[in-house]
Amino acid sequence: MDFTNQVAIVIGGSGAIGSAVVRMLAERGARVVAGYYQNAAAALQAVSDCQGMRGEVIALQVDVRDPQSVETLVSSVTEAHGRLDAIVFCAGAMRFMPMDAISVAQWRDALTLHLDGARNVCHAALRRMMRRRYGRIVAVAALHGLAGGPQQADFSAATGGVLGLVRTLAREAAPWNITVNAVAPGLIETPQLATIPEEMRRWGQQVIALRRIGRPEEVAAAIVFLASPLASYITGQTLVVDGGWRMAP
C-alpha cells in the first residue's frame, strides 16, 4: 500500500490503535496529522516514533465533541496541503456500569464523544473530499456496536450508532468516489483493556478462536487498508478484527 503524497488525519492519534495507524501511514509515505485531545505527551511520542520514515507527521489538538474544533482542524490541514485523502476517527472511551446505574449525563457523554464525534469528523471531511471526488473515511467503532457488551449499554449504543452512520454516509458519498467504512475491534491490548473485569478478559480469551488478545497494530492494518486506494470497491462495511470471537455469516 502506497500513500505517497497523500494527506491523512487520524483523530485519536495519541491512543494505542491511533498511534499504530499513524506509524503505518507514515511508513507508507503519507503526510499525517495525529489529532489528540488531552494526551499531548503521547501525541508527541507518536510524532517522534515516525522520525526518519517516508512520510511526515505532526500533532494537532482537537475536541471531537465540538464541531467548530473539528472544522478548524480539517480546514487548516486542507489549506496547508491542498487536499485530504483519508480521515480516521479513532477517538473513544468506555466504562463498565450496569444500565440502571448509568446517569443521563453519563449516557449523553458517551453519545457525544462517539456518535456526535463521528458525525463532526465526517461532516468536516466530506465537503473537502467531494471537491476532489476522492476520499476514504474510516470510523473505529467496537464489537459492542454489533453484539452488545454487558455493563456497557452506553458504549454499545453509541458505537452501534456509528455503524449506522457509516452505512448511510457510504450511500450518500458514493457518487463522489468517497468510501466510508468501519472497523470493529474485539479484545485488543490497549490501556482501556486494563479497565475490564479480569473474569471477562479470561472468558474472552477462551471464546476467541485464536485464543489470544489482539495487538493494536493488527487493528491498524485493517484501518490502513480501508484508507488506501486498494479498498476502492469496499464501502458501507464493518470489518471485524476480533481473532474469531464473533463469527457472523
Side-chain angles (χ1 to χ4, degrees):
M1 291 179 285
D2 186 10
F3 285 84
T4 302
N5 296 324
Q6 290 205 15
V7 176
I9 299 174
V10 180
I11 304 292
S14 61
I17 294 173
S19 60
V21 174
V22 169
R23 288 194 301 275
M24 286 189 178
L25 289 171
E27 285 172 344
R28 289 158 178 79
R31 288 172 286 182
V32 189
V33 174
Y36 71 96
Y37 175 47
Q38 287 181 313
N39 200 339
L44 292 176
Q45 184 62 55
V47 173
S48 178
D49 290 343
C50 296
Q51 294 298 315
M53 293 182 179
R54 288 174 54 208
E56 302 173 356
V57 181
I58 63 169
L60 294 175
Q61 188 174 30
V62 63
D63 182 354
V64 297
R65 301 167 299 181
D66 179 1
Q68 188 55 54
S69 178
V70 178
E71 177 67 25
T72 298
L73 172 69
V74 174
S75 177
S76 66
V77 172
T78 52
E79 286 177 8
H81 298 290
R83 60 192 293 170
L84 176 61
D85 298 280
I87 193 162
V88 176
F89 175 74
C90 194
M94 64 180 182
R95 57 174 163 250
F96 287 83
M97 190 176 294
M99 178 64 184
D100 60 2
I102 300 173
S103 69
V104 172
Q106 290 170 324
W107 179 267
R108 288 177 176 164
D109 282 347
L111 292 178
T112 300
L113 175 58
H114 299 95
L115 189 51
D116 290 5
R119 175 268 173 202
N120 295 337
V121 168
C122 293
H123 185 268
L126 274 172
R127 296 196 311 277
R128 276 82 180 185
M129 292 177 171
M130 285 175 174
R131 290 172 192 152
R132 295 184 60 244
R133 302 189 70 84
Y134 178 86
R136 299 282 185 267
I137 298 174
V138 184
V140 180
L143 196 61
H144 306 68
L146 290 166
Q151 300 188 61
Q152 292 177 288
D154 52 352
F155 185 62
S156 299
T159 53
V162 170
L163 300 182
L165 173 66
V166 162
R167 290 190 290 270
T168 297
L169 290 182
R171 293 186 182 278
E172 292 186 5
W176 286 271
N177 194 33
I178 299 168
T179 64
V180 188
N181 291 289
V183 171
L187 284 180
I188 307 298
E189 200 64 70
T190 68
Q192 289 194 13
L193 187 65
T195 68
I196 75 170
E198 182 58 32
E199 61 271 19
M200 183 175 293
R201 181 182 178 121
R202 289 196 301 268
W203 174 81
Q205 287 177 281
Q206 291 171 356
V207 300
I208 292 171
L210 293 179
R211 295 294 190 273
R212 66 175 178 85
I213 291 171
R215 301 184 300 273
E217 57 268 26
E218 293 177 308
V219 182
I223 296 168
V224 170
F225 167 66
L226 291 174
S228 77
L230 292 179
S232 57
Y233 201 55
I234 302 172
T235 196
Q237 302 302 308
T238 299
L239 178 52
V240 176
V241 183
D242 68 351
W245 184 354
R246 178 188 180 273
M247 297 189 190

